[in-house]
């Protein structure tokens, strides 16, 4: 029987970024219009698209062997899954998503205890209930289908628990953040039985290595150059690198080839210094993965 790994791709805000990350990692995923089962150029993998909010439940139940979802939804569902690796990526930034407690800017609610007996609107209902219960604070938590910030403005709730990166949208709605409940990043998770299966575990670990390698390469570039022997130490002293630059002698010459990996945004300052130091034939090239 042919072995297959069932992989979950998150639908919604992370979908495009996830597919782009897989492409950079070496897998092409083709999503057909209105299809929840995209094609992937790996005969050992079957893909399914589902909401990030539901991903951990499907992985826990074994409907999927593994999948990518936020830590927030794993905790919300209280899912028993194996955390394979963290994958910090986003369409906008590489900052974690923050679940925060917000109230009207003119509210006299200043701390968690001030919410005793109050109503909170959120999409993260189960986690929020547990969070306040563990602190002995009695609150009423109601599910919000969206436009959560408006619930407070309209007087439908005393506070909200909402996800944000910068807090800009929350402030724009006339609210203020008074507490952060948690930070969440995407994770590759696996079903416990699938992780115990040697073949599936090896395949999941392959995914993890390549995905992490693609993420490490973000905003990094490679630099190559030629340097005369008398300028070698000067050039090496100004070169940043992950560990140390690679230096190789050129054939029958007093020149050396230097290769290193640097942050993309330092190249504009670095190249003029390298030229002043005597480097020649400088080449910058993109990186797909750093492992």
């Amino acid at each position: 029987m042919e072995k297959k790994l069932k992989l979950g791709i998150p639908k919604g805000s992370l979908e495009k970024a996830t597919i782009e990350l897989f492409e950079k990692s070496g897998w092409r995923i083709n999503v057909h219009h209105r299809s929840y089962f995209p094609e992937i150029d790996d005969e050992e993998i079957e893909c399914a698209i589902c909401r990030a909010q539901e991903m951990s439940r499907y992985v826990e139940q074994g409907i999927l062997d593994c999948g990518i979802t936020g830590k927030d939804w794993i905790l919300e569902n209280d899912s028993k899954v194996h955390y394979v690796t963290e994958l910090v990526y986003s369409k906008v930034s590489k900052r974690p998503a923050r679940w925060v407690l917000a109230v009207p800017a003119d509210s006299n609610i200043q701390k968690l205890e001030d919410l005793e007996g109050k109503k909170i609107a959120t999409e993260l209902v189960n986690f929020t209930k547990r969070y306040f219960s563990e602190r002995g604070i009695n609150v009423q938590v109601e599910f919000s289908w969206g436009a959560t910030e408006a619930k407070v403005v309209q007087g439908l709730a005393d506070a909200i628990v909402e996800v944000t990166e910068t807090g800009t949208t929350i402030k724009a709605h006339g609210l203020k953040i008074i507490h952060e409940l948690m930070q969440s990043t995407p994770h590759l998770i696996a079903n416990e039985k699938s992780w115990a299966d040697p073949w599936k575990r090896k395949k999941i670990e392959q995914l993890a290595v390549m995905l992490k390698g693609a993420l490490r390469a973000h905003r990094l570039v490679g630099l190559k150059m030629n340097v005369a022997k008398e300028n070698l130490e000067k050039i090496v002293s100004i070169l940043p690198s992950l560990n140390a630059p690679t230096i190789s002698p050129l054939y029958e010459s007093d020149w050396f080839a230097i290769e290193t990996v640097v942050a993309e945004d330092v190249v504009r300052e670095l190249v003029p210094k390298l030229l002043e130091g005597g480097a020649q034939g400088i080449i910058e090239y993109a990186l797909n993965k750093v492992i």
Side-chain angles (χ1 to χ4, degrees):
M1 181 178 177
E2 186 181 12
K3 292 185 177 181
K4 292 280 188 179
L5 184 78
K6 293 172 288 185
L7 168 66
I9 303 296
K11 182 177 177 62
S13 61
L14 280 178
E15 181 179 339
K16 182 179 179 182
T18 300
I19 291 172
E20 289 174 352
L21 176 61
F22 268 88
E23 183 170 355
K24 194 171 182 181
S25 303
W27 286 273
R28 290 185 179 273
I29 298 174
N30 184 21
V31 181
H32 297 287
H33 183 58
R34 293 184 179 179
S35 172
Y36 287 91
F37 302 97
E39 295 178 352
I40 185 170
D41 60 347
D42 188 328
E43 295 180 352
E44 296 178 336
I45 298 177
E46 288 180 351
C47 287
I49 291 181
C50 63
R51 288 172 58 84
Q53 292 91 328
E54 302 172 310
M55 183 75 72
S56 66
R57 292 205 300 263
Y58 295 147
V59 172
E60 181 181 21
Q61 295 165 9
I63 297 171
L64 297 170
D65 293 306
C66 61
I68 294 175
T69 188
K71 186 178 181 180
D72 44 6
W73 299 114
I74 303 170
L75 297 176
E76 169 69 4
N77 297 327
D78 197 22
S79 299
K80 304 300 184 291
V81 296
H82 181 81
Y83 287 79
V84 180
T85 189
E86 182 183 35
L87 299 170
V88 184
Y89 66 102
S90 163
K91 289 172 64 177
V92 179
S93 72
K94 298 190 74 176
R95 285 178 289 193
R98 302 161 55 220
W99 283 92
V100 299
L101 180 70
V103 297
D106 59 356
S107 173
N108 58 5
I109 297 174
Q110 302 294 328
K111 55 185 185 298
L112 293 180
E113 290 75 13
D114 295 337
L115 283 160
E116 177 69 32
K118 304 291 187 181
K119 185 188 294 184
I120 300 174
T122 184
E123 190 178 358
L124 206 69
V125 173
N126 296 324
F127 176 85
T128 301
K129 286 181 177 179
R130 291 197 305 269
Y131 192 89
F132 279 89
S133 177
E134 290 168 358
R135 288 155 181 79
I137 303 171
N138 181 39
V139 295
Q140 180 183 350
V141 182
E142 293 187 348
F143 180 76
S144 173
W145 290 95
T148 306
E149 294 91 349
K151 302 294 193 301
V152 174
V153 177
Q154 296 169 352
L156 300 176
D158 300 292
I160 63 169
V161 169
E162 180 66 320
V163 65
T164 184
E165 283 192 354
T166 64
T168 303
T169 302
I170 289 176
K171 292 178 182 177
H173 283 84
L175 307 179
K176 63 180 179 181
I177 296 171
I178 64 170
H179 186 77
E180 182 179 295
L181 283 73
M182 73 161 161
Q183 294 189 0
S184 176
T185 53
H187 280 70
L188 175 63
I189 58 174
N191 173 269
E192 295 285 5
K193 289 184 179 179
S194 299
W195 187 250
D197 179 280
W199 183 87
K200 289 185 177 180
R201 177 168 179 165
K202 185 175 181 181
K203 191 67 180 179
I204 295 169
E205 288 176 334
Q206 177 195 14
L207 289 173
V209 167
M210 303 307 285
L211 290 170
K212 291 288 284 186
L215 286 173
R216 290 192 190 99
H218 179 69
R219 301 299 302 274
L220 293 177
V221 296
L223 282 182
K224 288 183 178 182
M225 67 205 73
N226 293 332
V227 180
K229 183 177 181 180
E230 62 267 22
N231 297 322
L232 185 60
E233 293 301 323
K234 185 194 305 181
I235 293 297
V236 170
S237 69
I238 63 175
L239 270 181
S241 64
L242 291 179
N243 293 305
T246 299
I247 303 174
S248 306
L250 297 182
Y251 181 66
E252 292 185 350
S253 118
D254 290 333
W255 284 68
F256 292 83
I258 298 180
E259 188 168 2
T260 190
V261 174
V262 301
E264 185 179 41
D265 57 1
V266 308
V267 174
R268 59 178 179 259
E269 304 291 339
L270 183 60
V271 168
K273 295 178 182 178
L274 294 173
L275 291 172
E276 291 175 5
Q280 297 183 13
I282 301 172
I283 299 173
E284 176 186 346
Y285 56 93
L287 301 174
N288 281 331
K289 289 173 278 293
V290 174
I291 299 171

